[in-house]
Each structure stands twice: as structure tokens, then as C-alpha cells.
Amino acid sequence: MASTKIQDERLTEWNNNVLKYLIPNDVILSLYLILGITGNITVILVYVFKMKVKRDDRFFIPVLASVDFIACLIGASYAFAWNILPVNFKNRIACVALSFVSQGVTIVSASLLIIIAVQRYLKVCKPSFNFTQKMKYFCTILAVCFGCAFSVPILFCYGVVEIYNPMLNVTGYWCGQKRQNIEHVIIHDISAALFAIIASLVLIILYILIGTTIYRKFIMFHESMKQGKYTKNQWSSVELESELAVDKDNDKKSSRSRANSIEDLVECDTYRRKIKRGSADTLDQGRFFTIGQHFRTHRYSYMFMTITALFIIAYTPRVTLMILESLDPNFWNKPNEAIAGFLFLYRMYLLNHAVNPFIYTFFDTRFRKAVSEIFCYCCSTRKSMSL
């Protein structure tokens, strides 16, 4: 009895020692959690209920935001539980369930980014192909099913692991990869690494093709504008992701979208007439007009490129540490400072899910305007109530 009490005291002492080094990590996790939950809920509500014009470019945004919301909620909660009980985590069910959901969300997010990249490629490079609404729904369901199926081995590979501290002569417990059937654990981690590499290569290749096509169309557009040869028919024939693009599945085209189309065409024709007069100021303005029109037209492709690049950067440390953990049974037997550093890198993937709403805000002007309207309305309501 006395021996058990001594062991418990030593385990508590060890847990508290590690806990102190994880306080900065807790602060960062709090930021991930707050930004991820509030930002992604805002994205879901605004895109689903507030946006007036429906576009196929925006279809996957609320879907991706839902996945990001789950990733921040579950991932950050899992990390907080781990930080509070770094070497005294004895709840096997919570460990396995949180690990399963955490990896499942990761695979679903990667699969969605691949689907989005394919959709962008077809829209920009193969505009004759119609990526219908039914195909989008089917691909979304397929991504969720694939993520769940790929994460099934987590149920057998993860659990409460014993770790021995020779300094305190005590055995601790934490949530991680089990050492039993280590061959299966290694196979699963290698499979996850292969999936990450293949997914990254596919995304990079697709966006290189998209970027090349966009650049070529930009040069054609700029040259045509300079020569005054750009007509309304040519404007509509170029497959750019402008505000003019409305999902082909929608039978009704909103009057607001038609108004934007007329406004853009008038702006283009006005500039074309000015360019014929050939003044130096007009030529300088034309360069800014062409670049501005280019980024406004292709902002969704650039937005998803940014999200994809951040995803690859943020998830690379996690996959690397998973492989090292499976290959080295004593990987986590390190000084507390090193453990805190590795955990920061391991959880950096949450940055991707927390920052995505800000990327949407930067690139999507209509979303930014809708959020501003909601914010101004809330402020005015609050001010009137205070009076």
C-alpha cells in the first residue's frame, strides 16, 4: 500500500514537471482553438446562409470549413488532454477515439484538397468538362468514407503506452503508438507517409498545370487589351473563374450576377477604347487594370493554392514525427524541453485549419463584405441596446 502511494506521488511529480514545460504549448493551442472554432463557424454560416449568388467555386469552402472546425475542436481538445496528463494518461478509450478522429479528419482534409485541385484543373485547363453538383456531393462523401477507412488501423495501433523514468524509478502512461505488433504500426505509418507524399505530388503537379494555364491566359489577355482586339465574345470565351461564372447546374441566373457581368464588360470596353488613344497614363493604368483583373478573376485558384501550400508545410512535421516514433521505441524518452519542442511541431497541423478562414477573407471579396456587414450590424445593435 505504501509502495503504491509512493509510486503515485512520484508519477504526479513527474507529470507536473513535464506539465510546466508545456504551458507555452497550451497558449498556442488556445489560439488555434479560438481562431479555428470562431473562424470556421463564421465561414460555414456566411457561405451557407448569407451569400446571395451561388457559385461552383464556393461549393467546397463550407465543406472544408466543417472539416477544419472538427479538426480544431477535436485536435486541440486531444492536445490539451495530453498536455494536462502527459505521463499519466490512463484512459484507453479516449486515447483511441481522439487519435482516430484526429487522423480521420486529416485524411478527409487532404482528400478534399485533391478533389478541389482536380476541380480547379478541369475548370481552368479543361473548361469543356462539366463538374456537376452530383459529382461534387459524391466526391465529398467518398473523401469522408476514405478518411474513415484509412484510419481504422488507428483503433489497433494506438493506446495507452507505458514509459519508464529511471531517475524517479516510476512507470508513466501516455497516449501513443503501441509497441505490441510494432510491424503493423510501422506499416501504417509508412502508408500514411506514402499517402502524404503522393497527395503532395498530385497537388503540386495539378497546381503547376493550373498556374501555367493562368499565366498563358494572362499574357494573351494583356496583349489583346494592348492591341484593342479584346471583344465581348472573347471575354466570355476565356475560361476564367470570374464573378461571371455561375454553376451550370443552376437554371436560374441571379440578376445580381448579370449586373456584375454587364459592369465588368463595360469596364473592359471602356479601357479598350482608352487604350486605342494610346496615352502614356492610360498605358500605365492599363497595366494595373490587367494585373488587377487577372487576380480578381483567378482569386479562387490562388486561394486554394495558398491553402494547399500551407497544408503541406503544416503537416510535414507531424508525418515525420509519426515515422520516427514508430521506428524508435525510446523516441519520447527525451528532456522536457525537447518533448515540448517536438509537440509544438507535431501540432503545427492545427495552424492550417485555424488560418484557413483568414485566407477566405483575404481572397473572397464577397465573403469579406458579408462578414463586415454582420460585424457592423452586431456593433450597431449592441450600441443601440446600451443606449
Side-chain angles (χ1 to χ4, degrees):
M1 193 74 176
S3 176
T4 303
K5 187 177 180 180
I6 293 173
Q7 290 291 314
D8 291 340
E9 290 176 352
R10 290 177 179 176
L11 183 58
T12 303
E13 179 186 354
W14 183 17
N15 191 86
N16 292 337
N17 287 337
V18 179
L19 187 63
K20 294 176 184 177
Y21 288 91
L22 299 180
I23 292 176
N25 205 291
D26 290 333
V27 175
I28 296 172
L29 286 174
S30 300
L31 292 175
Y32 290 158
L33 187 64
I34 294 170
L35 294 177
I37 290 179
T38 56
N40 286 297
I41 286 180
T42 304
V43 170
I44 295 168
L45 294 177
V46 171
Y47 273 105
V48 174
F49 300 106
K50 181 72 176 174
M51 305 296 278
K52 300 295 183 182
V53 180
K54 302 295 183 183
R55 287 177 45 109
D56 60 337
D57 295 305
R58 297 190 180 107
F59 176 87
F60 288 106
I61 293 178
V63 178
L64 195 59
S66 301
V67 175
D68 290 337
F69 170 78
I70 297 173
C72 289
L73 181 63
I74 301 298
S77 301
Y78 177 26
F80 273 124
W82 204 101
N83 283 6
I84 294 171
L85 301 169
V87 293
N88 198 14
F89 200 116
K90 298 179 181 180
N91 193 326
R92 179 187 173 278
I93 295 176
C95 172
V96 174
L98 290 172
S99 300
F100 174 81
V101 175
S102 179
Q103 174 158 312
V105 169
T106 298
I107 301 299
V108 172
S109 182
S111 302
L112 284 174
L113 288 178
I114 293 174
I115 294 169
I116 291 170
V118 171
Q119 191 245 358
R120 304 316 304 168
Y121 171 77
L122 293 174
K123 188 174 182 67
V124 176
C125 304
K126 306 288 182 182
S128 59
F129 185 89
N130 184 16
F131 203 81
T132 64
Q133 290 287 98
K134 289 183 178 180
M135 294 174 63
K136 294 170 189 171
Y137 282 115
F138 174 77
C139 290
T140 302
I141 295 172
L142 187 65
V144 174
C145 293
F146 176 72
C148 294
F150 193 90
S151 302
V152 167
I154 289 290
L155 302 176
F156 308 98
C157 297
Y158 275 69
V160 176
V161 182
E162 293 185 356
I163 180 169
Y164 180 69
N165 186 335
M167 300 289 294
L168 296 175
N169 189 26
V170 64
T171 300
Y173 308 90
W174 67 12
C175 179
Q177 296 178 345
K178 295 191 294 187
R179 306 317 301 174
Q180 298 91 346
N181 300 322
I182 189 61
E183 298 83 3
H184 298 161
V185 176
I186 294 175
I187 291 173
H188 173 263
D189 287 346
I190 291 176
S191 300
L194 286 175
F195 173 78
I197 293 171
I198 293 172
S200 299
L201 289 175
V202 170
L203 290 168
I204 290 170
I205 291 171
L206 285 174
Y207 279 116
I208 286 176
L209 295 173
I210 292 169
T212 303
T213 302
I214 289 175
Y215 178 75
R216 187 173 67 249
K217 289 181 179 180
F218 168 71
I219 297 300
M220 292 172 56
F221 176 78
H222 183 59
E223 293 298 324
S224 298
M225 292 296 285
K226 283 201 304 184
Q227 297 173 14
K229 296 178 180 179
Y230 211 70
T231 66
K232 294 181 181 180
N233 291 333
Q234 287 173 310
W235 173 276
S236 60
S237 66
V238 177
E239 295 297 331
L240 304 175
E241 315 125 63
S242 67
E243 289 292 334
L244 318 182
V246 179
D247 198 336
K248 295 181 182 179
D249 293 339
N250 296 335
D251 294 330
K252 295 181 180 180
K253 187 176 181 182
S254 69
S255 59
R256 198 168 167 185
S257 180
R258 286 195 298 270
N260 287 336
S261 301
I262 295 170
E263 182 181 348
D264 288 335
L265 288 172
V266 170
E267 184 181 6
C268 179
D269 287 343
T270 302
Y271 164 70
R272 187 163 47 85
R273 286 195 296 271
K274 285 182 179 181
I275 204 74
K276 285 182 178 180
R277 292 198 276 269
S279 68
D281 291 338
T282 304
L283 289 173
D284 290 337
Q285 293 174 5
R287 277 190 285 270
F288 287 109
F289 172 86
T290 307
I291 295 172
Q293 180 63 33
H294 166 78
F295 283 102
R296 188 170 74 91
T297 313
H298 294 284
R299 63 182 177 275
Y300 288 102
S301 287
Y302 286 123
M303 179 176 73
F304 287 119
M305 284 182 190
T306 305
I307 291 172
T308 300
L310 182 60
F311 178 87
I312 295 173
I313 294 170
Y315 268 92
T316 299
R318 179 181 178 179
V319 176
T320 304
L321 290 173
M322 282 176 58
I323 296 174
L324 294 175
E325 181 184 2
S326 63
L327 295 176
D328 184 5
N330 298 315
F331 179 78
W332 292 105
N333 288 342
K334 290 180 172 58
N336 294 332
E337 299 90 340
I339 292 176
F342 284 134
L343 286 177
F344 169 76
L345 294 175
Y346 189 89
R347 292 156 181 174
M348 198 170 70
Y349 76 94
L350 292 171
L351 175 66
N352 168 71
H353 301 290
V355 169
N356 281 349
F358 297 95
I359 298 176
Y360 304 140
T361 305
F362 179 78
F363 283 96
D364 194 337
T365 53
R366 290 191 180 227
F367 172 71
R368 187 164 63 244
K369 184 178 179 182
V371 173
S372 299
E373 290 175 355
I374 294 173
F375 180 76
C376 292
Y377 174 78
C378 294
C379 290
S380 61
T381 305
R382 197 172 181 182
K383 188 176 181 180
S384 62
M385 290 178 64
S386 63
L387 295 175

